[in-house]
Amino acid sequence: MNIFLFPYLTTPLADGISVLFWMIIFYTILQIISNTNKNIIFLLFFFSSFLIGMSIMLRPSNINLVILLPLLYIVSYMIKQNINKIIVALLVISGFAVAIYPQMYINFIYFEKLTFLPTVELGNLQIKWGIEYIKYGTNLSGEGIPQLYY
């Protein structure tokens, strides 16, 4: 166990679950390589690509996990010669699509953008907030409202 990892696992709904997803994804890839049952292999392909999508939905900085999607397909070519490659490709794509579809739907309906990544323009928001709250103070006397807008 890595003692330096423990503080990061306590951040709710971010780092801890993200690290857990990474470990499960790599474990399923190892299971794909070592397993011989075709049905279990197909289920593992779907499950691992679904977890890749969920990991990106949970924390968009995990976008580098998308590299694992082609890797899953390459593993099926190099290691598992006796499985249907078209089924593997469909399972990998559908597993990822099932995970990202809800966010894509929300982004398309509310923001009119067809993407599964966040659609907020953070730079524009920070400039707007900076201009709006440049003259913001706090009343520390304990009387009245604490916000002081100039």
Side-chain angles (χ1 to χ4, degrees), residues 63-75:
I63 192 70
N64 53 1
L65 281 176
V66 172
I67 296 169
L68 290 178
L69 292 173
L71 179 70
L72 286 172
Y73 197 67
I74 291 169
V75 164

Side-chain angles (χ1 to χ4, degrees), residues 14 23 30 34 49 68 74-75 92 97 101 104 108 113 121 125 127 134 137:
M23 290 189 305
L30 291 174
S34 65
S49 62
L68 290 178
I74 291 169
V75 164
V92 168
Y101 176 74
M104 283 186 71
F108 185 71
K113 293 184 179 180
E121 302 290 337
L125 277 177
I127 289 172
I134 198 163

Side-chain angles (χ1 to χ4, degrees), residues 124-140:
N124 294 340
L125 277 177
Q126 288 176 337
I127 289 172
K128 179 180 173 242
W129 292 335
I131 292 169
E132 284 180 3
Y133 298 117
I134 198 163
K135 295 271 188 174
Y136 174 82
T138 303
N139 180 7
L140 298 178

Side-chain angles (χ1 to χ4, degrees), residues 12-84:
L13 293 178
D15 293 330
I17 296 174
S18 182
V19 169
L20 180 68
F21 277 1
W22 278 68
M23 290 189 305
I24 294 171
I25 289 165
F26 287 115
Y27 178 76
T28 56
I29 291 173
L30 291 174
Q31 288 298 313
I32 289 170
I33 293 171
S34 65
N35 208 322
T36 58
N37 187 343
K38 283 185 186 180
N39 293 330
I40 293 175
I41 290 173
F42 289 148
L43 181 65
L44 288 172
F45 272 116
F46 180 83
F47 184 65
S48 59
S49 62
F50 175 77
L51 280 178
I52 290 170
M54 286 300 294
S55 180
I56 295 169
M57 295 297 97
L58 175 71
R59 188 168 176 117
S61 64
N62 286 335
I63 192 70
N64 53 1
L65 281 176
V66 172
I67 296 169
L68 290 178
L69 292 173
L71 179 70
L72 286 172
Y73 197 67
I74 291 169
V75 164
S76 72
Y77 267 114
M78 299 182 81
I79 305 297
K80 304 294 181 183
Q81 298 295 329
N82 57 350
I83 63 172
N84 191 339

